[in-house]
Amino acid sequence: MLCATSGDVEKIGWFVEALSRFLAAAIAIVLICVGLVLYLPELGTLVAIGVPVLALAVLPLLPRAAQRADVQREKAGKATELASDTVAGLRVLRGIGGEELFLGRYRAASQEVREAAVHSARMWSLISAIQVLLPGIMLISVIWYGAQLVLDGRIEVGGLVTVYSAVTLLLFPLRHFEEIAMAYSFSRPSAKRAARVLSLERTAFEEERGGLDDARPTGDLYDPVTGLRAPSGLLTAVVCGDPDAAGRLAERLGGHASGEEKSASVLLGGVALDDLPLDAARASVLVQDKDPVLLSGTLRELLDIPASGAVDPEKALAAAQCGDVLDALVQASVDGSGDPMRSRITERGRSLSGGQRQRLALARSLVTDPEVLVLDEPTSAVDSHTEARIAQSVKELRAGRTTVVFASSPLLLDHADRVVFIHEGQVSAVGPHRELVRNEPGYRAVVTRETEDEQKQIMAPASARAREEIEESA
């Protein structure tokens, strides 16, 4: 997931702040060393040679320390994600008795984070110890060698005191070498994430290109990478054996392609989405992913979004089968108005079940009424009866509009005007659901969840009949 947080900004700021102190410390060290060499070459040369050794002594340890810090951050991120998922589904977990199971998983994950933190702290403590030990050794060496020079009469006692004071002054700037090393190690991953976010851009659209500013193209939606075509005005269902591949394809259809797939833009009515202004592209194609987010606020505010105006909220809620959701919102309302549109929805809809959140998100997408609506598993959290009604209602409400649904449920697929089967990143078969079930073993395996043994049992009688026909014809 590509995301830069406020914590990343703080780490980058720490490095920038530490860099200024490090540069000031480096300049101070150079000036002091040059001054000592000019003032008292016998001791100044020893200090000028020893200071770079002290500054670079911990350099071999930094890669290992950075690696341990990365492991700690990775484990901490997984533990935080696990905690968030557990809290979000706490009510469901209590209902099925899985609270203790997830609590044990989080306890184990937190212990891994603790061990990784201790492992990382040991390396940084070793670096800190070296940064204290080596300057002390250098200071003792300078005093011992300077005392020998005083006894030999080669320098004065005042010169030794001056060099001692200068070396003591050097110890403070040397501490900033450790700080800049830590700041660099911790801010480097944050800087990479921020750089990736800031480098995102639409590759094809140029401001000086004219003629497309107000364009809202219509027609078939076509993906040149997979060969998927969604005819205009029809409900097209897409079946993929790989859920991750289905999610990536859904993002591509909405113009959210990333990485190597940026080379070929999705076409709407023969016009590349990348050639459209961002507002026009988003208004033409809307993608609802598997985990849509519901912001806190009233239901009216949730559905008060930019839309064509052709679909009012009541029709969208009815098509998404949100009757029980409205009743639940009214019962939980504290204003006593009895109007579900004035009922408040908590952050991310945590007070609602997964199926209720999913249907509200579907209603919000239907209100928008884009030219092309792409839905990724819009009914995965509802029961079969509700799913069948949603499929029929959405098809009726979206009549004349292009709708693409990524699903593997036979109830939804049976209502589609056409079904496209994607296998290994390419269109493998196109046709009605029932025809594909009969004629496409791969499609049937995905939709009916058949195992390999079950497929062999089904194919065995067909193979036997084929052999009998060949023998009879012979």
Side-chain angles (χ1 to χ4, degrees):
M1 179 175 181
L2 192 61
C3 180
T5 65
S6 58
D8 291 327
V9 176
E10 291 178 359
K11 290 183 177 66
I12 296 172
W14 176 32
F15 175 76
V16 173
E17 180 186 6
L19 182 61
S20 61
R21 290 195 295 268
F22 166 74
L23 293 177
I27 294 174
I29 290 174
V30 171
L31 293 177
I32 293 174
C33 289
V34 172
L36 289 177
V37 171
L38 297 177
Y39 172 71
L40 203 62
E42 293 84 352
L43 288 178
T45 304
L46 176 62
V47 174
I49 295 175
V51 168
V53 174
L54 296 181
L56 302 177
V58 297
L59 192 60
L61 300 178
L62 291 181
R64 185 176 299 178
Q67 182 180 6
R68 293 187 180 185
D70 291 341
V71 172
Q72 177 191 351
R73 282 190 293 269
E74 181 181 357
K75 291 184 178 296
K78 291 182 179 179
T80 302
E81 182 179 356
L82 178 60
S84 300
D85 294 341
T86 303
V87 172
L90 189 58
R91 186 175 63 175
V92 177
L93 291 176
R94 286 176 176 173
I96 63 176
E99 184 178 2
E100 290 298 327
L101 174 62
F102 275 77
L103 181 60
R105 291 182 180 177
Y106 178 72
R107 186 180 293 111
S110 61
Q111 289 300 317
E112 291 181 1
V113 174
R114 181 189 64 81
E115 294 175 359
V118 172
H119 199 53
S120 177
R122 286 174 179 170
M123 181 58 67
W124 288 112
S125 64
L126 175 60
I127 294 176
S128 299
I130 293 175
Q131 289 289 332
V132 174
L133 176 63
L134 294 184
I137 294 176
M138 188 185 74
L139 183 60
I140 294 174
S141 301
V142 169
I143 295 174
W144 178 83
Y145 182 60
Q148 296 296 324
L149 294 178
V150 170
L151 293 176
D152 293 342
R154 297 171 60 183
I155 64 174
E156 300 292 335
V157 176
L160 176 60
V161 173
T162 302
V163 173
Y164 169 78
S165 301
V167 173
T168 305
L169 181 62
L170 283 174
L171 299 183
F172 177 74
L174 283 172
R175 296 176 184 174
H176 293 290
F177 283 78
E178 176 192 358
E179 182 188 14
I180 194 64
M182 294 183 64
Y184 173 78
S185 299
F186 283 97
S187 64
R188 180 171 52 87
S190 299
K192 288 182 178 180
R193 284 192 292 268
R196 287 197 297 268
V197 171
L198 295 175
S199 65
L200 295 177
E201 60 182 9
R202 289 173 61 83
T203 56
F205 176 68
E206 298 178 1
E207 293 293 340
E208 61 271 15
R209 294 179 62 179
L212 292 176
D213 291 343
D214 299 321
R216 296 291 174 85
T218 59
D220 296 352
L221 184 69
Y222 176 69
D223 176 31
V225 175
T226 61
L228 170 64
R229 181 180 297 277
S232 176
L234 298 183
L235 173 60
T236 302
V238 180
V239 177
C240 289
D242 184 2
D244 293 333
R248 292 192 297 269
L249 178 54
E251 292 179 354
R252 275 187 49 75
L253 295 181
H256 302 279
S258 60
E260 298 179 357
E261 295 182 349
K262 282 185 175 181
S263 58
S265 173
V266 172
L267 305 178
L268 177 59
V271 179
L273 289 183
D274 287 345
D275 289 340
L276 293 175
L278 186 59
D279 292 342
R282 295 293 177 264
S284 299
V285 182
L286 174 66
V287 179
Q288 177 182 303
D289 58 17
K290 295 179 182 178
D291 188 21
V293 176
L294 301 180
L295 302 179
S296 60
T298 64
L299 181 57
R300 179 174 285 105
E301 292 172 343
L302 176 70
L303 301 179
D304 185 16
I305 54 178
S308 67
V311 179
D312 56 61
E314 288 74 16
K315 290 183 179 180
L317 290 169
Q321 304 298 314
C322 293
D324 62 318
V325 184
L326 300 181
D327 294 339
L329 291 175
V330 170
Q331 292 177 2
S333 178
V334 295
D335 59 6
S337 63
D339 183 5
M341 301 300 291
R342 296 177 56 183
S343 301
R344 296 198 65 81
I345 300 173
T346 58
E347 182 185 3
R348 293 183 175 269
R350 298 190 188 278
S351 60
L352 303 173
S353 67
Q356 291 174 332
R357 291 195 298 270
Q358 196 173 57
R359 282 176 284 164
L360 281 181
L362 175 59
R364 180 178 58 187
S365 300
L366 294 175
V367 168
T368 305
D369 189 40
E371 179 64 29
V372 178
L373 177 60
V374 180
L375 304 172
D376 191 0
E377 296 288 352
T379 58
S380 59
V382 302
D383 59 82
S384 301
H385 181 61
T386 305
E387 183 178 35
R389 290 187 297 171
I390 290 176
Q392 182 62 33
S393 300
V394 170
K395 183 177 181 179
E396 294 174 356
L397 186 65
R398 292 283 301 170
R401 295 285 198 179
T402 307
T403 307
V404 181
V405 181
F406 287 81
S408 58
S409 170
L411 291 173
L412 198 152
L413 297 173
D414 199 34
H415 285 84
D417 296 313
R418 66 200 301 268
V419 180
V420 179
F421 177 48
I422 304 291
H423 180 63
E424 295 182 352
Q426 295 293 324
V427 173
S428 177
V430 179
H433 163 64
R434 301 188 182 187
E435 178 181 324
L436 294 179
V437 169
R438 288 194 303 267
N439 302 330
E440 292 292 333
Y443 175 83
R444 182 171 58 247
V446 174
V447 173
T448 62
R449 277 76 171 176
E450 289 180 354
T451 63
E452 293 183 2
D453 293 337
E454 290 173 339
Q455 293 183 45
K456 292 179 180 179
Q457 292 176 2
I458 294 175
M459 296 300 295
S463 300
R465 288 195 299 270
R467 286 196 300 269
E468 292 177 357
E469 293 176 357
I470 293 174
E471 291 175 355
E472 291 176 359
S473 61

